[in-house]
Structure formats: structure tokens, C-alpha cells
Amino acid sequence: AAIIIESFIRQINARNVSSRNKLDQLHREDAALKIQTFYKSFRFQQKLKHKLVVAQRVVRGFLGRRRRDRLIQTIVMLQSRYRGKKTRKSMSKRARAASLRIERANKVAAEKPQMKLGMRTKSALEILLKSKRLAEVMRAVTTLEVSTRLSEKCCVAFAQAKAPGILYALIRTCNRSLPHMELLHLVLETLTNVAKHSYLIRSVATTKSVEVLIDLVQMFRDKDNIFCLAISLLELIVFAVDDCMIRCASRENLKRLKGIHSLSLR
């Protein structure tokens, strides 16, 4: 009976100890969860605070740069106006008249879009394609010379319209009369303006360009302006395009060039 009673008491004590251990474990786990929750909340608040600080710094920097840029623009505008006013006061009568002409030309171009360089180039190309009258062709080539000299876009439009071929055909029809020599001078300057752009030089180097230019050099060897323009254009084409180099190096063309060279040395 004593043994049974002792066993029963040990069981009760063991149950009490087990229940106390379970309660302690639950308390520890609950405390650990609370600590983890607090730590995570603290870390989240720290990250959020850091992001807010970074965002504020970025916004302040952007606003500061924008204020600085506006201030610089204002200063530059004031400087420009002051310098313009000072220059206009000290400007000569001729320069003042030129400035007024430029202002009037800009005003006319704004009121009449057909007077703009691009539209004038387009119109000149159409005249060049259709017209056979010397006066109209002269005006068209004059416009093309100005537009190709001043605008790269006009050079591209000129090349895309395949105008070099038309100008080479036009050169074939010219003689040594003064109007035709003036026309040839404008044509060569126009082609040279386009050939100065390396990516457009192939449009100027047509299949007939070498022969036409050598004919021109031979025909006008005593006219310095046409001779020099034709030689310069021929040099640009020959050294940029291999096919033109081969044509220029043919026996007939070499013989003609040597003859021109020997005549020029006299």
C-alpha cells in the first residue's frame, strides 16, 4: 500500500512539473514573438524613415536645380537683351540696315511658307525637272545653289530627287556663251555643295559624271572659275568612289587629262 501511495504521489508531482514546464515554454514563446514583432516594427519604421529622407533629398535637389536653371535662364536673357541693346546702339548704319532686312525676311518667311528654304528647294527641283526655258532654269539653279550651301536637309532632298543626273545633262547642253557660263558656274557650285557631305557624294558620282567633268575641264581650260570648280569636283568624286577612279584611269581619259595638263603648263 505504501508503494502504491508513493507511486501515486510521484505521478501527481510529475504532472505538476510538466504543466509548469509547459506554461514556462508558452511564456517564453510568447515573449519571443513579442520581441520579434517589436524588432520587425522597429526595422520597418527605420527603413520607412530612410526612404522618406531619400525622397525628400531627391525632391529638394530637383526643386533646387530647377530654381537654379530658371535663374540662369533669366540672367542669360537679361545679358542677351543688354548686349543686343548695346550692340544696336553701337551698330553702323550698314549693319543696322542688314539687321532690318533680316528681320523683314524672317517676317515674310513666317507669313509666306512658300518663301522658306525647303519649299523654295522643292519648287526649284520641280522647275528643273519640267522646264526647258533658260531663265527659269537659271533661277532654279540659283535657288538650289543657295539652299544646298545653307542647308544639309536641302542637300539630302536634292540627292533624293536624283537632281545630279539632270544637272549633268544640263551641262552637256551648255556652250561658251556668257549666260551658259554663268549657269555652269552655279551648277558646279551646287554639285560641290552636295559632294561636301561624305554620305551624299555617291549621289553626285553618277555613271556620266567623270566624262562630263573631263569634257568641261577640257572645254573651259582657259576659264579659271569653271576650270577650278570642275577639277575640284572631279577630285572629290574620284577619290571617294572606286568606280569613278576606274573610269578616270581609263586610257582615253588619262590621255585627255595629260593633254590638259601639258596645255596648262604652257
Side-chain angles (χ1 to χ4, degrees):
I3 292 171
I4 293 171
I5 292 169
E6 286 178 358
S7 174
F8 180 73
I9 291 170
R10 288 193 189 103
Q11 289 177 3
I12 292 172
N13 291 332
R15 289 194 194 99
N16 290 334
V17 170
S18 176
S19 62
R20 282 197 299 271
N21 290 337
K22 287 181 180 179
L23 286 173
D24 292 340
Q25 182 68 24
L26 289 174
H27 288 316
R28 284 194 296 271
E29 289 178 358
D30 186 53
L33 287 173
K34 288 181 179 179
I35 293 171
Q36 288 177 351
T37 303
F38 177 77
Y39 178 74
K40 289 178 181 178
S41 175
F42 173 76
R43 289 290 298 167
F44 176 76
Q45 289 176 1
Q46 290 293 320
K47 289 181 180 179
L48 183 61
K49 185 178 180 181
H50 176 70
K51 289 179 181 179
L52 289 173
V53 170
V54 172
Q56 287 176 347
R57 189 186 305 133
V58 171
V59 172
R60 286 170 183 163
F62 170 76
L63 294 175
R65 286 190 296 272
R66 189 169 69 175
R67 284 194 296 269
R68 180 201 62 192
D69 293 341
R70 287 179 178 176
L71 181 61
I72 291 173
Q73 288 177 359
T74 305
I75 293 171
V76 170
M77 184 180 65
L78 290 174
Q79 288 177 341
S80 175
R81 289 186 177 180
Y82 172 74
R83 289 170 183 166
K85 188 175 180 180
K86 186 178 179 181
T87 303
R88 284 190 293 273
K89 282 184 178 180
S90 61
M91 190 184 296
S92 64
K93 290 183 179 180
R94 185 178 296 179
R96 199 172 301 166
S99 177
L100 289 174
R101 285 198 301 272
I102 292 171
E103 288 181 4
R104 283 197 294 270
N106 289 333
K107 188 176 180 181
V108 170
E111 293 174 353
K112 298 179 181 179
Q114 66 272 18
M115 294 299 293
K116 292 183 178 180
L117 202 58
M119 294 299 295
R120 290 174 63 187
T121 302
K122 184 178 179 181
S123 176
L125 288 171
E126 290 176 356
I127 293 172
L128 199 62
L129 288 168
K130 298 176 182 178
S131 180
K132 301 295 182 182
R133 297 179 182 177
L134 180 60
E136 290 183 353
V137 171
M138 181 75 78
R139 286 196 296 271
V141 174
T142 302
T143 300
L144 290 173
E145 192 279 323
V146 173
S147 62
T148 53
R149 174 161 44 87
L150 299 177
S151 172
E152 186 176 345
K153 290 183 179 179
C154 292
C155 291
V156 174
F158 179 88
Q160 289 176 347
K162 298 181 179 180
I166 301 170
L167 292 186
Y168 287 128
L170 182 63
I171 290 173
R172 291 282 196 188
T173 64
C174 292
N175 53 40
R176 290 175 62 88
S177 64
L178 288 177
H180 280 190
M181 288 173 61
E182 185 180 352
L183 180 61
L184 283 172
H185 188 269
L186 290 170
V187 168
L188 290 172
E189 283 189 336
T190 303
L191 292 171
T192 303
N193 292 337
V194 179
K196 286 178 181 178
H197 303 285
S198 58
Y199 66 97
L200 295 177
I201 196 167
R202 286 189 173 274
S203 65
V204 179
T206 64
T207 54
K208 298 180 180 179
S209 58
V210 173
E211 287 76 11
V212 171
L213 291 173
I214 292 177
D215 288 342
L216 207 58
V217 168
Q218 191 171 20
M219 185 177 178
F220 294 92
R221 60 183 178 272
D222 57 334
K223 303 296 181 183
D224 291 343
N225 54 352
I226 296 177
F227 179 83
C228 293
L229 282 171
I231 283 291
S232 299
L233 182 59
L234 182 62
E235 182 184 8
L236 283 173
I237 291 172
V238 166
F239 284 105
V241 182
D242 294 337
D243 292 341
C244 293
M245 175 70 80
I246 294 170
R247 291 194 197 96
C248 190
S250 66
R251 181 179 299 177
E252 181 183 354
N253 287 332
L254 278 177
K255 184 178 179 181
R256 295 171 67 188
L257 290 171
K258 287 178 180 178
I260 295 167
H261 181 258
S262 62
L263 288 173
S264 65
L265 293 176
R266 290 180 183 176

